[in-house]
């Protein structure tokens, strides 16, 4: 009898929550419990990567009847679409707990919220049942709201309410679409693989995809459904911003592929032009906004938005190059943008500000951190040798294959990004000669945090460079999924 590996991954964060409740104490007790429970999914997900069969379809499947009357199952599995995302959630969650300082009071509650968020994210990416998928989709919302509203910045209440209202609205629209698919398919099941065989009319598919488009576009987010994103990223504690930008944004893209494009393929194909337009507008708009910001966190919040537009463009063009690039870039973007927000946290802790005009001599105070920050900034716009370069080449090639204008606009967005990154690098690194004025105790605390953050940044940078030179390690896992997906899209 084989071990239920996916259940072990999924329920390990819950074990951490139980331990935190059973072992009440100081901050370090909660942190150790969180570290243990995030380490288990990381170790097992690495095992999955090296035992995954690229041509094997759904693997490590667990399927148990849950609510027989409704056709709901506890159905988990991995394939070429979600394997990288499961690894990404496990890796970033572990490194955030390991390296980032606890934000404010009530450490136990803070780590419980982080673990609930990890549990929800893993559930979304592992579920192959629509009701299970939706339950985990909602679970992610709850800790996200509390983490921003309790431990966030000065404008946290406004940002958290905005986050809550937008995502609740998107969730309700998605639920309507799910129930409509279940009813019209008339197969008495919420199993996603089973629903792939449903015969649905073209008009119904178009209507449902339009609903899913609004619901998922809020989560990605795509313009004009994005306004909650910069406020949430800026007001959230730094460790939560890493998870929001690196992980939660991927839920929308994943939902588009797993639910939208897969279950209503004809409707998706008919609206793919709209996805491409929204994606290209998002790329240019977000990068122009990023270029005008004076706050590092807000600048990279908009920059992340632009990257999500690029990923959605690869999905929207509906060809193998674009889709393969998007699946690969979801992992890369999670690693890179998560690392950048970790580095911004280090800068804020060291210099006391992330206002670009006030930053000075980063290279003097945190030389290793500054060098890693430069590397990550180069990776963020796809410098050759970095994993993002390969992913962006795939997406741009796919965009040019579909329509030249989409490729040209996406490249303009990338050029704008390169422009503001190169203009800001010398300003934040070498300018000024004033003391930052930290006392001895403050300096020791910051140095302690920085060592752990540098370990995390070095680990993530190694992955970025490794995948830059050997992308096959992750790219090959999606070959079979992409081929089957494109074939389904081309069916009459």
């Amino acid at each position: 009898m084989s071990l239920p590996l996916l259940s072990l991954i999924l329920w390990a964060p819950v074990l951490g929550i139980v331990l935190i409740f059973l072992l009440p104490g100081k901050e370090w007790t909660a942190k150790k419990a969180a570290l243990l429970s995030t380490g288990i999914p990381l170790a097992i997900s690495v095992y999955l990567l090296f035992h995954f069969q690229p041509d094997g379809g759904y693997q490590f499947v667990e399927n148990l009847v849950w609510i027989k009357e409704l056709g709901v199952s506890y159905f988990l599995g991995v394939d070429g679409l979600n394997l990288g995302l499961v690894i990404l959630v496990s890796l970033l969650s572990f490194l955030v707990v390991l390296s980032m300082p606890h934000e404010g009071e009530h450490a136990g509650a803070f780590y419980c919220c982080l673990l609930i968020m990890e549990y929800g994210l893993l559930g979304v990416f592992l579920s192959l049942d629509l009701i299970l998928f939706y339950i985990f989709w909602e679970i992610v919302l709850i800790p996200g709201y509390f983490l921003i509203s309790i431990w966030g910045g000065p404008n946290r209440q406004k940002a958290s309410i905005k986050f809550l209202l937008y995502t609740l609205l998107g969730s309700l629209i998605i639920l309507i679409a799910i129930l409509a698919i279940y009813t019209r398919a008339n197969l008495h099941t919420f199993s996603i693989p089973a629903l792939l065989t449903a015969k649905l009319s073209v008009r119904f598919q178009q209507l449902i995809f339009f609903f899913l488009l609004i619901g998922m576009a809020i989560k990605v987010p795509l313009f004009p459904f994005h306004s909650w994103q910069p406020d949430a990223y800026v007001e959230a504690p730094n460790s939560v911003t890493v998870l929001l930008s690196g992980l939660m944004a991927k839920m929308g893209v994943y939902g588009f592929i797993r639910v939208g494009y897969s279950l209503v393929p004809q409707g998706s194909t008919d609206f793919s032009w709209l996805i491409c337009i929204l994606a290209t507008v998002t790329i240019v708009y977000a990068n122009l906004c990023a270029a005008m910001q004076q706050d590092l966190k807000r600048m990279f919040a908009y920059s992340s938005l632009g990257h999500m537009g690029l990923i959605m463009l690869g999905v929207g063009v509906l060809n193998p190059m674009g889709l393969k690039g998007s699946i690969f870039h979801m992992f890369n973007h999670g690693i890179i943008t998560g690392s950048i927000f970790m580095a911004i946290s280090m800068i804020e802790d060291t210099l006391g500000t992330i206002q670009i005009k006030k930053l000075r001599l980063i290279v003097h105070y945190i030389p290793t951190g500054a060098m890693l920050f430069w590397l990550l900034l180069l990776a963020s716009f796809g410098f050759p040798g970095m994993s993002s370069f390969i992913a962006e080449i795939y997406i741009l090639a796919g965009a040019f294959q579909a329509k030249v204008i989409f490729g040209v606009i996406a490249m303009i967005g990338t050029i704008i990004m390169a422009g503001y990154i190169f203009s800001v690098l010398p300003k934040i690194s070498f300018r000024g000669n004033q003391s930052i004025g930290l006392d001895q105790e403050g300096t020791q605390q910051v140095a302690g945090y920085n060592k752990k953050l540098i370990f995390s940044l070095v680990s993530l940078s190694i992955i970025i460079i490794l995948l830059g030179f050997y992308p096959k390690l992750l790219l090959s896992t999606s070959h079979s999924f992409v081929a089957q997906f494109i074939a389904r899209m081309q069916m009459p």
Side-chain angles (χ1 to χ4, degrees), residues 87-153:
I87 298 169
L88 179 65
V89 173
S90 306
L91 178 61
L92 276 188
S93 299
F94 176 77
L95 290 179
V96 161
V97 173
L98 173 72
S99 62
M100 302 199 73
H102 161 58
E103 312 272 353
E105 299 178 347
H106 309 297
F110 181 80
Y111 285 114
C112 277
C113 285
L114 281 185
L115 292 173
I116 294 170
M117 183 178 279
E118 185 191 15
Y119 171 67
L121 286 161
L122 288 168
V124 166
F125 296 134
L126 287 172
S127 296
L128 293 178
D129 180 282
L130 280 179
I131 290 297
L132 207 60
F133 169 86
Y134 184 77
I135 290 171
F136 284 117
W137 184 282
E138 289 295 284
I139 285 174
V140 176
L141 168 65
I142 299 165
Y145 168 75
F146 283 116
L147 285 165
I148 297 170
S149 65
I150 296 175
W151 291 280

Side-chain angles (χ1 to χ4, degrees), residues 4-10 48 59-62 76-78 126:
L5 295 178
L6 302 188
S7 287
L8 290 174
I9 290 177
L10 178 62
L48 295 186
Q59 294 170 49
F60 307 101
V61 170
E62 298 170 30
L76 309 178
V78 291
L126 287 172

Side-chain angles (χ1 to χ4, degrees), residues 61 76 123 140 158 176 187 256 294 305 330 394 442 450 482:
V61 170
L76 309 178
V140 176
K158 181 184 170 188
I176 293 170
L187 296 174
F256 263 113
Q294 289 302 313
L305 181 62
M330 276 198 280
Y394 268 85
N450 285 352
V482 169

Side-chain angles (χ1 to χ4, degrees), residues 305-357:
L305 181 62
H307 278 288
M308 294 312 297
L310 191 64
I311 292 171
M312 275 310 301
L313 179 62
V315 176
V317 296
L318 278 180
N319 58 41
M321 293 290 281
L323 183 61
K324 198 174 288 184
S326 289
I327 293 172
F328 189 43
H329 206 26
M330 276 198 280
F331 181 86
N332 294 321
H333 177 258
I335 294 286
I336 294 168
T337 197
S339 307
I340 285 176
F341 282 113
M342 282 184 184
I344 290 173
S345 172
M346 183 192 298
I347 292 168
E348 188 171 21
D349 287 340
T350 307
L351 303 182
T353 181
I354 48 172
Q355 289 293 311
I356 295 171
K357 285 183 180 176

Side-chain angles (χ1 to χ4, degrees), residues 105-228:
E105 299 178 347
H106 309 297
F110 181 80
Y111 285 114
C112 277
C113 285
L114 281 185
L115 292 173
I116 294 170
M117 183 178 279
E118 185 191 15
Y119 171 67
L121 286 161
L122 288 168
V124 166
F125 296 134
L126 287 172
S127 296
L128 293 178
D129 180 282
L130 280 179
I131 290 297
L132 207 60
F133 169 86
Y134 184 77
I135 290 171
F136 284 117
W137 184 282
E138 289 295 284
I139 285 174
V140 176
L141 168 65
I142 299 165
Y145 168 75
F146 283 116
L147 285 165
I148 297 170
S149 65
I150 296 175
W151 291 280
N155 298 313
R156 59 185 181 275
Q157 295 302 332
K158 181 184 170 188
S160 59
I161 292 291
K162 210 170 175 182
F163 167 80
L164 183 70
L165 292 178
Y166 265 86
T167 47
L168 261 183
L169 175 64
S171 298
L172 287 174
I173 295 172
I174 291 169
L175 179 61
I176 293 170
I178 287 174
L179 294 177
I181 292 171
Y182 171 78
T183 305
R184 186 61 70 92
N186 200 24
L187 296 174
H188 192 65
T189 180
F190 284 96
S191 160
I192 293 174
L195 288 170
L196 292 176
T197 63
K199 303 294 181 187
L200 304 171
S201 69
V202 173
R203 176 163 290 190
F204 176 79
Q205 291 193 41
Q206 289 171 338
L207 179 65
I208 293 303
F209 186 74
F210 191 74
F211 273 73
L212 290 172
L213 189 156
I214 297 172
M216 303 292 183
I218 290 173
K219 198 64 119 184
V220 173
L222 283 177
F223 179 91
F225 308 102
H226 67 284
S227 69
W228 65 269

Side-chain angles (χ1 to χ4, degrees), residues 438-471:
L438 279 175
D439 57 25
Q440 189 175 357
E441 184 182 354
T443 305
Q444 287 174 349
Q445 284 182 350
V446 169
Y449 296 149
N450 285 352
K451 282 179 185 174
K452 295 174 184 171
L453 274 170
I454 284 173
F455 169 79
S456 296
L457 293 176
V458 168
S459 305
L460 296 171
S461 299
I462 290 171
I463 295 173
I464 292 167
I465 294 171
L466 173 66
L467 291 177
F469 285 95
Y470 189 61

Side-chain angles (χ1 to χ4, degrees), residues 7 26 101 108 246 295 385 434-435:
S7 287
K26 295 181 180 177
D295 176 294
Q434 299 175 34
S435 167

